[in-house]
Amino acid sequence: TVYNYRPDIEKTVTKRNNDKAHQADYGVGDAVPYTLTIDVPKNITSLRTFKVTDTTVASQLVQKEDSVKVSGTGVTVKEDANKNSVMTVDFTPSALADAAGGKITITYTATVQDTAIVAGKGNVNTAKIVYSRTTNLTTEETGGNKPYEITDNGVVYT
């Protein structure tokens, strides 16, 4: 039997009534609570790459590194070339044996900026999980072996 141990990611925004959804309403200056729920594949220790990135557009939302909550791993929040906040959680797959087949939850807040989009399509915030295409730990992850990516979005209407 061949199994496809595919991870998944769900990005939700906590509404003011504490319900979680893919969209919510917040005003300028508000701290928006986000949750990323990652399904960890059963074969996680056989993967070379397993990381999560979450990008917010600087003119809309700004993440704060000290608001990120995830256990047992290093987290960085840096600006990209466009001044966007990019949170990266770079997991060490061999250290995630206890989470295999389970879930990892990452929570953080991002502050709505005064230049956020008002009405219209809202302020989209995208999270992405990147994971190895193969369980061969010695294979370079380039060309046809480039890691898979799965994305999910959260939208804040202002």
Side-chain angles (χ1 to χ4, degrees):
T1 304
V2 176
Y3 296 98
N4 181 7
Y5 297 118
R6 181 181 184 267
D8 202 6
I9 186 167
E10 180 183 28
K11 181 180 187 105
T12 55
V13 181
T14 303
K15 294 179 163 187
R16 294 180 189 276
N17 64 0
N18 287 327
D19 287 340
K20 293 193 186 307
H22 285 293
Q23 57 190 27
D25 296 323
Y26 281 91
V28 172
D30 287 344
V32 181
Y34 287 96
T35 302
L36 305 176
T37 305
I38 295 99
D39 292 335
V40 180
K42 288 185 179 182
N43 67 339
I44 185 66
T45 59
S46 299
L47 301 180
R48 185 175 186 171
T49 301
F50 193 75
K51 70 178 176 180
V52 174
T53 60
D54 190 300
T55 304
T56 56
V57 178
S59 64
Q60 300 169 358
L61 296 154
V62 174
Q63 299 171 357
K64 297 295 182 197
E65 187 168 5
D66 61 358
S67 75
V68 180
K69 305 288 184 247
V70 61
S71 60
T73 189
V75 177
T76 59
V77 176
K78 297 181 180 177
E79 287 184 349
D80 67 9
N82 297 318
K83 303 287 186 194
N84 299 322
S85 297
V86 180
M87 173 184 64
T88 302
V89 182
D90 202 352
F91 294 98
T92 303
S94 61
L96 293 176
D98 290 344
K103 295 184 183 295
I104 294 174
T105 303
I106 300 169
T107 59
Y108 71 93
T109 59
T111 305
V112 179
Q113 302 300 295
D114 59 2
T115 52
I117 295 172
V118 177
K121 294 181 182 178
N123 301 280
V124 180
N125 179 325
T126 303
K128 173 174 53 176
I129 188 168
V130 178
Y131 68 100
S132 297
R133 184 174 295 266
T134 178
T135 57
N136 184 340
L137 296 175
T138 61
T139 301
E140 289 298 318
E141 294 186 322
T142 59
N145 283 325
K146 185 177 174 185
Y148 289 116
E149 296 181 1
I150 299 171
T151 61
D152 197 18
N153 297 319
V155 181
V156 172
Y157 293 98
T158 305

